[in-house]
Amino acid sequence: MKLLQERIRREGIVRSHDVLIVSHFLNHQLDPQLFLAMAKEWQKRFKGKRIDKIMTIEASGIALAVVAGLVMEVPVVFAKKRGSVTLDDDQYCATVYSYTQKKSYAIRVEKDLLKPGEHLLIIDDFLANGQAVLGLAEIARQAECVLEGVGIAIEKGYQPGAALLRERGLDVQSLAVIRSMDPQSGAIEFDEAEAV
Ligand code: G4P
């Protein structure tokens, strides 16, 4: 998606080979107009699929998912990372390993928010190693929901996440796919196939 690519080029900061900072429009300050354009693009890419609900993970996925939910006219459920007062028996739970933080954490969704047979779309900001999406997919499996696809804002295509998810048969639609980043020059190369 050209609009997102341009924004990343203009305002993204390459912190290292693996870390892109996008605090000016995606992770800290948020650009609702850009989010709306992204949501419409996901709507186009998942057209024809039945989507009853959007699922994401706190924190950065939530804002994107809400705009997508508004455009697609469906509710949004987010997996919580922190503990909850709800009893464990009342929640679906999965473990996510973060390569960035080198630790595992639990994600949870209350059972009565996902009904068996519902069709879900996962939305998230970054796809790196794919572990967060795999955790959400595990929760969808426990809930006996149908996972229709995964909408990602920024995929780092040289990290293993997208391939891992596609190997499992998931329809992954990333709006910007980064092929490489150079922290010295700040240069970012995109996979132009996604630049519609
Ligand atoms: P994975 O989910 O694809 O396996 O990724 P990983 O564990 O490596 O990423 C952990 C966190 O770092 C996630 O956010 C993810 O969105 C974020 N992340 C991954 N790569 C980048 C990057 O290049 N730039 C930025 N800014 N973030 C990146 P999180 O821990 O869930 O935090 P939150 O921001 O959603 O609260």
Side-chain angles (χ1 to χ4, degrees):
M1 188 188 177
K2 279 250 183 290
L3 194 66
L4 180 59
Q5 279 195 4
E6 282 163 16
R7 208 51 192 275
I8 295 169
R9 272 199 217 284
R10 218 168 52 229
E11 294 179 33
I13 299 163
V14 181
R15 178 60 49 85
S16 70
H17 171 69
D18 280 346
V19 178
L20 175 70
I21 305 297
V22 284
S23 302
H24 282 77
F25 59 95
L26 191 66
N27 281 155
H28 201 356
Q29 176 169 260
L30 312 174
D31 182 342
Q33 292 300 333
L34 176 65
F35 285 19
L36 182 61
M38 291 163 69
K40 287 179 178 169
E41 180 63 25
W42 279 316
Q43 183 184 41
K44 210 163 75 189
R45 294 193 189 195
F46 292 108
K47 196 170 178 217
K49 294 201 166 187
R50 174 181 149 193
I51 292 163
D52 301 317
K53 209 164 262 182
I54 289 174
M55 182 159 62
T56 189
I57 182 165
E58 66 177 350
S60 303
I62 296 175
L64 282 171
V66 168
V67 180
L70 195 63
V71 166
M72 296 184 204
E73 298 182 18
V74 293
V76 175
V77 171
F78 68 91
K80 295 191 176 190
K81 290 178 182 168
R82 290 161 198 81
S84 154
V85 290
T86 315
L87 294 173
D88 278 356
D89 281 357
D90 297 336
Q91 304 179 93
Y92 298 115
C93 186
T95 303
V96 174
Y97 179 75
S98 168
Y99 286 92
T100 315
Q101 295 161 29
K102 297 189 174 45
K103 62 171 193 195
S104 296
Y105 58 93
I107 58 170
R108 300 182 175 81
V109 173
E110 283 183 30
K111 284 186 178 171
D112 62 357
L113 299 179
L114 298 173
K115 305 271 182 285
E118 276 185 329
H119 290 229
L120 306 180
L121 172 64
I122 290 176
I123 294 285
D124 209 358
D125 58 342
F126 273 95
L127 178 57
N129 296 290
Q131 299 302 304
V133 172
L134 285 180
L136 292 173
E138 168 56 19
I139 284 180
R141 188 197 63 76
Q142 290 172 24
E144 297 176 41
C145 291
V146 178
L147 192 46
E148 288 287 359
V150 181
I152 297 290
I154 304 175
E155 171 187 325
K156 288 176 290 176
Y158 53 91
Q159 291 188 282
L164 193 70
L165 301 183
R166 291 193 176 112
E167 268 165 29
R168 292 176 187 229
L170 293 172
D171 177 5
V172 181
Q173 296 291 335
S174 305
L175 302 185
V177 178
I178 295 176
R179 202 188 289 159
S180 66
M181 301 194 293
D182 181 358
Q184 244 77 52
S185 64
I188 302 169
E189 293 291 326
F190 291 96
D191 183 344
E192 293 300 333
E194 301 295 328
V196 285

